[in-house]
Amino acid sequence: MLGRQMRRRKPRVLCFHGFRTSGEILRKMLGKWPDTVLEKFDFDFLDAPFPARGKSDIEGLYDPPYYEWYRVNEVECFHFDECIAYIEDYMIKHGPFDGLLGFSQGGMLAAVLPGMQREGVAFTKVPKIKFVIIISGFELRELKSGPPKLLVNAFSVPIECPSIHFIGDKDFLKERGLKLLKLFVMPFVIYHSTGHTVPKLDEKGQETMLKFIEKIEELFSQDLQIGLGPKAAL
């Protein structure tokens, strides 16, 4: 009975929204995905730590408030360390979380977290992240002052954490998204015809997503057998 109950547990996924949007907005954007996908996860939508300090591109489409994770210009990245500390504190208090989902700026964060965790520079007090879902994510641009210290070795070796990436043909960050894709080992990829958005899942996209979910479920099953030990045979 215990084994069957644990197998039915949905993976908990912490979700990071895009720049100057919100967790509620990301929740609504994901609502266009079919129930066959959404019902597989237990999503938690986190608002970024800082209120938006400028105009949001989605004003008029979605209601405020709007938030941002960090700010960046050609020289340096602002408030990145504070952002990471905020996320880790939330994961400690509200976790454990099995995976991450990120859109745009949130996708960048979801992508770098496994590397920081591997290097032991952050997220050392939370369980290892088992998978990431990256929608219109990107590699942080090269900065004149160099990357934030926490990110120096995040991609020093390819990321082995299972991942699925959404790449839009018309996304203005497509090239940076493709660069990010190459930093992961055997990633799943969904290419779509739209731009910088959470796309609907067509038949092919849904098929790819369900294959990724099957892989996650296999990992969970393996972890469960290890965790139960001899009880698994009872």
Side-chain angles (χ1 to χ4, degrees):
M1 178 64 72
L2 176 61
R4 289 196 296 271
Q5 288 176 345
M6 292 182 71
R7 284 185 179 89
R8 285 197 294 268
R9 183 179 74 82
K10 296 180 182 180
R12 295 197 67 213
V13 181
L14 185 58
C15 302
F16 306 141
H17 60 79
F19 183 61
R20 293 178 180 168
T21 66
S22 70
E24 176 62 16
I25 292 172
L26 180 56
R27 184 188 68 79
K28 291 178 179 178
M29 295 173 76
L30 284 180
K32 65 183 72 171
W33 286 1
D35 289 341
T36 51
V37 171
L38 296 177
E39 67 187 8
K40 298 291 186 179
F41 299 104
D42 178 10
F43 293 113
D44 188 332
F45 296 90
L46 177 63
D47 288 327
F50 305 108
R53 302 177 188 184
K55 182 178 175 60
S56 172
D57 290 339
I58 48 83
E59 285 184 22
L61 297 175
Y62 295 98
D63 294 332
Y66 310 124
Y67 303 92
E68 56 191 48
W69 299 99
Y70 60 86
R71 288 185 297 122
V72 65
N73 57 29
E74 294 182 356
V75 178
E76 60 184 316
C77 184
F78 301 92
H79 307 300
F80 188 80
D81 288 9
E82 295 95 321
C83 168
I84 295 303
Y86 168 81
I87 293 173
E88 183 167 13
D89 182 65
Y90 186 88
M91 294 177 73
I92 292 170
K93 293 178 178 177
H94 302 278
F97 293 98
D98 303 296
L100 305 172
L101 179 150
F103 169 66
S104 189
Q105 191 181 60
M108 179 272 181
L109 289 171
V112 300
L113 193 152
M116 289 190 291
Q117 193 173 48
R118 181 200 64 226
E119 294 298 312
V121 297
F123 303 102
T124 58
K125 299 179 181 179
V126 299
K128 182 180 179 181
I129 290 299
K130 299 179 178 67
F131 63 91
V132 293
I133 301 170
I134 301 172
I135 308 168
S136 291
F138 52 85
E139 185 181 19
L140 186 67
R141 71 175 72 173
E142 292 187 9
L143 305 174
K144 292 180 180 179
S145 63
K149 290 182 179 180
L150 292 176
L151 293 186
V152 170
N153 294 313
F155 294 120
S156 57
V157 296
I159 302 296
E160 296 184 358
C161 180
S163 65
I164 185 166
H165 304 246
F166 290 72
I167 306 291
D169 290 341
K170 300 176 183 177
D171 191 340
F172 70 101
L173 291 175
K174 177 181 177 181
E175 293 306 314
R176 288 168 65 187
L178 291 172
K179 288 180 64 177
L180 179 65
L181 179 67
K182 294 177 181 179
L183 300 174
F184 284 77
V185 176
M186 298 181 65
F188 285 70
V189 190
I190 293 178
Y191 295 99
H192 58 92
S193 61
T194 60
H196 195 72
T197 187
V198 176
K200 293 182 179 180
L201 291 176
D202 58 17
E203 184 175 349
K204 184 177 180 180
Q206 186 171 342
E207 179 181 349
T208 302
M209 189 69 186
L210 291 176
K211 286 181 179 179
F212 178 70
I213 291 172
E214 287 179 6
K215 179 174 183 178
I216 299 308
E217 290 176 340
E218 288 175 3
L219 292 174
F220 269 64
S221 178
Q222 293 170 7
D223 288 347
L224 177 62
Q225 297 299 328
I226 294 172
L228 288 177
K231 291 182 180 180
L234 300 178

